[in-house]
Amino acid sequence: MHVLVAGGAGYIGSHTVVQLKRAGHDVTIVDDFDNSKATAVARLEELTGGHLPLHAFDLCDPDKTEALFASERFDAVIHFAGHKAVGESVSEPLKYYRNNLDSTFSLVRAMKAHGVHRLVFSSSATVYGDAAPQPCQEEFTPLQSGGGPYGWTKVMNEQILADVARATPDLKVALLRYFNPVGAHPSGTIGEDPQGIPNNLMPFISQVAVGRREKLTVFGDDYPTADGTCERDYIHVEDLAAGHLAALEHIDAMTEPVRAFNLGSGVPTSVLGMIKAFEAATGVPVPYEIGPRRDGDLPITYADPSRALAELGWRTTKSVEDMCADTWRWQSANPQGYPD
């Protein structure tokens, strides 16, 4: 297939591009570089051994999106484009609603106009909110509290795509709800490069380890978990990329127009457990302190990934130790992330 990867220079998108190329698909990238860098695409070309067509613009622009689809023939779209920081979405909700919804509107309009019938959408476990029983199952109605405007944009996008798919003959949409992506390509060539202060645990750990930050704050150690710290379902970004490839190659066989899949390991790991695993895998100490709880944090959340196994033939293959070792390989080789 010729696959348009929206947000293909970003963390998860870039790793997915590598696996798509390895599987023999042609790839075109569109990215506005709001939360990524063009040098990531150069690294991708090194890894894949060839030129990757790149279009640098904001998908919220419907005219540019239409022009792209008019100039090239795509067989499928994988949609990663969108802002993704829960905390920032609370302080800048209009930014998130505009970007995360308008980019979908532009893409889907162009897909319909040009007969593109396959869409894999980057959703999130935030759609489950704070009311879902654990482990999270796809049947749970994704009406949530928690997750902020970011989480609501994922809920709304899922609903929009479901409605469009049911009303559009031949359109198939796979909604991939993933949990906590971490890790990097085993080569250390590409990895996670958050702009500003990291919002997630693993990049903060690695930035402390490499000396960019003094210490890590653990938000609460009095939760009803094994060691008192929050537990999350971490998934190696390489496994996550493989999940997108599996969904793309399964999408024609879907018996309904839209289907949601959890992508997670099904095994939660605590914050302190992840710190200890990182230290054991790398031999590098991670200074930390215990701070107060953070508003909105749940004690534990993790996936039931059985549907992805049964229907996509997908499961995680990499351990927490792999996640830590690959993260450190990337961060130690790129202490400041990608060069500008």
Side-chain angles (χ1 to χ4, degrees):
M1 298 186 202
H2 184 190
V3 184
L4 177 65
V5 182
Y11 175 43
I12 302 168
S14 60
H15 288 79
T16 302
V17 166
V18 174
Q19 296 208 20
L20 288 168
K21 291 294 291 181
R22 185 186 304 153
H25 299 290
D26 293 324
V27 173
T28 294
I29 295 171
V30 58
D31 203 299
D32 67 356
F33 300 108
D34 179 76
N35 193 39
S36 58
K37 294 180 180 177
T39 47
V41 179
R43 300 276 185 95
L44 287 175
E45 291 181 335
E46 292 176 18
L47 285 171
T48 60
H51 173 65
L52 289 168
L54 169 65
H55 300 268
F57 68 86
D58 185 348
L59 283 164
C60 294
D61 186 326
D63 294 333
K64 290 183 178 179
T65 305
E66 164 61 26
L68 172 59
F69 277 77
S71 66
E72 297 192 47
R73 170 65 193 175
F74 300 111
D75 300 300
V77 174
I78 303 181
H79 181 12
F80 295 103
H83 299 319
K84 62 177 185 177
V86 173
E88 183 186 52
S89 77
V90 174
S91 61
E92 299 189 59
L94 290 178
K95 172 183 176 180
Y96 273 68
Y97 285 116
R98 175 194 172 276
N99 181 274
N100 292 9
L101 296 180
D102 281 0
S103 59
T104 298
F105 294 150
S106 292
L107 269 175
V108 174
R109 286 193 190 104
M111 288 176 63
K112 289 186 66 178
H114 294 275
V116 183
H117 302 301
R118 304 175 184 93
L119 174 63
V120 178
F121 176 65
S122 168
S123 190
S124 166
T126 57
V127 301
Y128 294 118
D130 57 14
Q134 301 298 323
C136 297
Q137 296 180 322
E138 291 91 347
E139 290 81 2
F140 181 77
T141 302
L143 293 175
Q144 41 82 284
S145 57
Y150 166 77
W152 280 113
T153 66
K154 293 300 186 182
V155 173
M156 292 175 182
N157 266 317
E158 285 199 6
Q159 186 63 55
I160 290 164
L161 293 173
D163 291 341
V164 172
R166 293 186 184 104
T168 306
D170 300 326
L171 180 62
K172 297 287 186 70
V173 180
L175 307 171
L176 303 187
R177 298 172 179 167
Y178 31 90
F179 282 67
N180 294 73
V182 298
H185 191 273
S187 67
T189 306
I190 57 173
E192 187 170 13
D193 183 21
Q195 307 302 299
I197 298 173
N199 293 292
N200 299 320
L201 176 64
M202 183 58 88
F204 210 113
I205 287 176
S206 65
Q207 289 189 11
V208 170
V210 84
R212 284 177 62 179
R213 306 196 183 276
E214 180 183 359
K215 59 186 174 182
L216 170 73
T217 298
V218 176
F219 297 110
D221 64 349
D222 58 349
Y223 286 94
T225 58
D227 63 18
T229 62
C230 293
E231 296 183 359
R232 296 291 181 266
D233 189 340
Y234 296 96
I235 175 175
H236 198 296
V237 68
E238 286 281 283
D239 281 332
L240 188 54
H244 289 79
L245 178 62
L248 177 68
E249 295 183 343
H250 167 78
I251 201 165
D252 286 343
M254 283 173 29
T255 57
E256 51 193 279
V258 61
R259 188 75 163 156
F261 299 94
N262 285 337
L263 296 185
S265 70
V267 180
T269 301
S270 72
V271 174
L272 289 181
M274 186 60 81
I275 294 171
K276 292 175 182 176
F278 186 91
E279 292 178 330
T282 66
V284 180
V286 180
Y288 69 90
E289 64 180 6
I290 303 297
R293 290 189 181 192
R294 184 171 56 183
D295 288 344
D297 278 349
L298 301 178
I300 183 170
T301 180
Y302 64 108
D304 176 353
S306 56
R307 177 184 290 182
L309 175 60
E311 299 182 23
L312 305 182
W314 174 91
R315 65 173 58 170
T316 58
T317 63
K318 293 182 178 288
S319 67
V320 169
E321 290 72 22
D322 295 328
M323 301 174 200
C324 294
D326 289 341
T327 296
W328 181 238
R329 190 175 296 109
W330 151 257
Q331 190 72 81
S332 58
N334 303 271
Q336 301 302 318
Y338 292 109
D340 290 325

